[in-house]
Amino acid sequence: PQDIILEDDKIHVAGGYTTFLTIDASDPTNLTTMGIYDAPGIVEFSYALDIIGDTAFVSSDFGHLYAINIANPTNPQLISTTVVNYEPGALVANGNQLLTASYQSTHLFDISAPANITWTAATIDKGYGLHNDTQFNFFDISIFLSEFAAGCP
């Protein structure tokens, strides 16, 4: 597994070559798989995971962001797939925003409608750190991070 979230008696996993799975941890001596969502088509490696309500967000090495309905953990269902930055090894969701980060860029998305995730802004790292470039709708990451942190409990 690349990323895990423990929620009550469930373990949610960005599972490497298995896109997403939920494990029943109600009996720690007998962990069992409750449900799996595997992206169809090409084999991808899932990297990062975050959950808002009944929606799991999973990033993959080919730059996909999957929104998965996990209301029924035994039958996770794809809500949408969005192309994000290449190899987004990290993501974090807060309210209606989701930030993905890779070795070359950081992207911000509006996730208020998981069936229609929209790109908001990006930063590009050209080897000297993140920069602000309003011509291309890039944003100052420090402003975003301070606002993002203010919304975190």
Side-chain angles (χ1 to χ4, degrees), residues 14-123:
Y17 289 114
T18 300
T19 307
F20 174 83
L21 64 126
T22 298
I23 297 169
D24 180 352
S26 58
D27 178 358
T29 64
N30 185 28
L31 301 177
T32 57
T33 300
M34 294 176 74
I36 296 175
Y37 173 77
D38 246 340
I42 56 176
V43 176
E44 296 181 275
F45 196 85
S46 60
Y47 278 128
L49 166 68
D50 207 349
I51 296 173
I52 299 277
D54 288 334
T55 305
F57 297 93
V58 180
S59 67
S60 78
D61 61 346
F62 288 149
H64 291 117
L65 173 65
Y66 296 100
I68 302 167
N69 182 328
I70 59 170
N72 177 356
T74 63
N75 189 24
Q77 296 293 310
L78 180 67
I79 299 170
S80 68
T81 303
T82 305
V83 176
V84 296
N85 44 333
Y86 182 68
E87 292 189 353
L91 69 80
V92 63
N94 184 16
N96 291 329
Q97 297 179 320
L98 182 132
L99 181 71
T100 63
S102 71
Y103 66 92
Q104 62 187 7
S105 64
T106 304
H107 292 257
L108 180 66
F109 296 88
D110 178 344
I111 57 170
S112 58
N116 187 30
I117 295 171
T118 55
W119 178 84
T120 305
T123 62

